[in-house]
Amino acid sequence: MNEALLNQLDFARASTVRTIQDLTEQAADIIPDGFMNNIRWNLGHIYTVHEQFAFATAGELVKLPEGFEAWFATGTKPADWTSEPPALSELIELLQEQAARIRETFSNRLDQASAHPMTIGPLTLQTVGEFLAFSMYHEGMHTQSIKSYKKLIR
């Protein structure tokens, strides 16, 4: 089962990266009417949440570059940014590296109890695998947002 979950992570991450391959830096920063965020924010948010849900909840070292909390944490938005966010190429590299790091770190630890269990609505996440599965759901939601934004900005 561990391998199946990690394969799903690889699939989800490849889908996210494929979705933005044709995107320009300028397009990544467009905020469609009625929305608070842009594609760049969604990519950074996916990365940030995976760091928190995969690594921090397992008691592992979190690899969040400087500024990521201010740019991409839940509740943030580009309108509040006071410094230049990372380039798309950097976000893509981080996302790809992160998936490999998750596989390497947790391939035989998905049943491990989380150092920081969390309840989200009626769902309680208690193991590394449960957090990873939820993170993939979260990534899928944001990847769909990216796809919708791309249609809106064309």
Side-chain angles (χ1 to χ4, degrees):
M1 188 59 159
N2 285 348
E3 191 63 24
L5 189 59
L6 293 169
N7 288 342
Q8 289 174 30
L9 170 64
D10 292 340
F11 173 82
R13 188 53 53 88
S15 176
T16 299
V17 170
R18 195 171 39 256
T19 298
I20 52 126
Q21 286 298 320
D22 62 342
L23 205 62
T24 65
E25 294 286 336
Q26 295 77 20
D29 290 328
I30 296 171
I31 300 172
D33 289 340
F35 293 89
M36 291 180 14
N37 292 308
N38 55 31
I39 291 172
R40 187 182 313 275
W41 181 89
N42 277 275
L43 294 169
H45 182 69
I46 289 168
Y47 179 85
T48 299
V49 168
H50 267 284
E51 284 298 307
Q52 294 165 338
F53 277 23
F55 294 98
T57 61
E60 292 287 333
L61 180 65
V62 174
K63 185 179 175 187
L64 275 180
E66 186 175 334
F68 269 55
E69 283 285 333
W71 293 317
F72 305 123
T74 300
T76 61
K77 59 187 183 297
D80 296 335
W81 292 351
T82 59
S83 59
E84 193 69 27
L88 282 177
S89 59
E90 181 181 350
L91 289 169
I92 291 169
E93 185 178 313
L94 285 167
L95 287 164
Q96 290 172 326
E97 180 272 337
Q98 183 184 56
R101 200 163 33 93
I102 288 171
R103 178 178 282 281
E104 180 181 311
T105 304
F106 299 113
S107 65
N108 294 311
R109 296 174 50 194
L110 296 180
D111 292 330
Q112 173 185 321
S114 171
H116 307 284
M118 179 185 295
T119 299
I120 301 171
L123 184 64
T124 299
L125 306 173
Q126 298 182 32
T127 68
V128 169
E130 290 170 355
F131 272 99
L132 187 56
F134 184 83
S135 293
M136 284 188 286
Y137 162 75
H138 176 264
E139 180 165 349
M141 287 186 347
H142 284 280
T143 299
Q144 186 56 48
S145 292
I146 291 168
K147 290 177 181 180
S148 297
Y149 281 26
K150 284 178 68 176
K151 286 181 183 179
L152 290 169
I153 65 176
R154 285 196 172 140

